[in-house]
Amino acid sequence: MLVDGALPTLERAAWRIVRERFGALKGSALRAAILELSARYNTQRAGAALDEASLLPARLLFFTLADLPKASLALAELVARDALPAAPGTLLDVGAGCGAMSLGAAAFLAALARRRGAPPPPLRALALDADGAALELARQL
């Protein structure tokens, strides 16, 4: 996938952000938060709040990084159909959380441009989410 090259850089940045905002994280606490968040994602109705500060490190370090490549699937389909605009412009990310789709799209488009020997196209992301703390993590990342 075209986003693979961006993952190590984004993962290092995510860990740095978590250390700066939340301090040292014990593996057991992160594991418990990931399990809690996974259970909530699988049992709560759409729109349920996930804005507990204790879950933010798990959202950023696990779910955001795991979801980054998902944006590339839709974009790769557009590329295959020669339907991707040359200059995508603004990306609207509704329910952005910590920014996985915006970051994944940006990484995909940058890698695609490099593959084609061109500079990355300018991309503006308008990220919307009810959870302001998650959006702040997305902005930092």
Side-chain angles (χ1 to χ4, degrees):
M1 288 200 167
L2 288 175
V3 299
D4 291 346
L7 288 175
T9 301
L10 289 169
E11 183 175 8
R12 283 191 300 276
W15 276 102
R16 180 186 47 76
I17 292 165
V18 166
R19 281 191 301 274
E20 289 171 1
R21 290 220 27 211
F22 304 99
L25 218 94
K26 292 184 178 180
S28 59
L30 180 58
R31 184 175 62 248
I34 290 169
L35 291 172
E36 170 69 18
L37 203 46
S38 181
R40 289 185 187 200
Y41 283 150
N42 288 311
T43 60
Q44 286 186 344
R45 294 176 178 250
L50 294 172
D51 58 357
E52 292 178 33
S54 64
L55 299 177
L56 283 170
R59 288 178 72 187
L60 184 62
L61 293 171
F62 184 79
F63 291 95
T64 299
L65 296 173
D67 288 344
L68 275 166
K70 291 179 181 178
S72 67
L73 298 174
L75 293 172
E77 186 173 327
L78 291 174
V79 169
R81 296 171 186 252
D82 199 26
L84 184 69
T90 301
L91 172 82
L92 177 60
D93 190 349
V94 178
C98 296
M101 295 302 117
S102 296
L103 292 164
F108 177 90
L109 294 170
L112 182 64
R114 278 192 306 276
R115 183 178 280 180
R116 293 176 172 172
L123 179 66
R124 179 175 177 259
L126 177 57
L128 305 174
D129 199 285
D131 185 351
L135 285 174
E136 176 57 25
L137 293 177
R139 188 196 62 73
Q140 287 182 283
L141 190 55

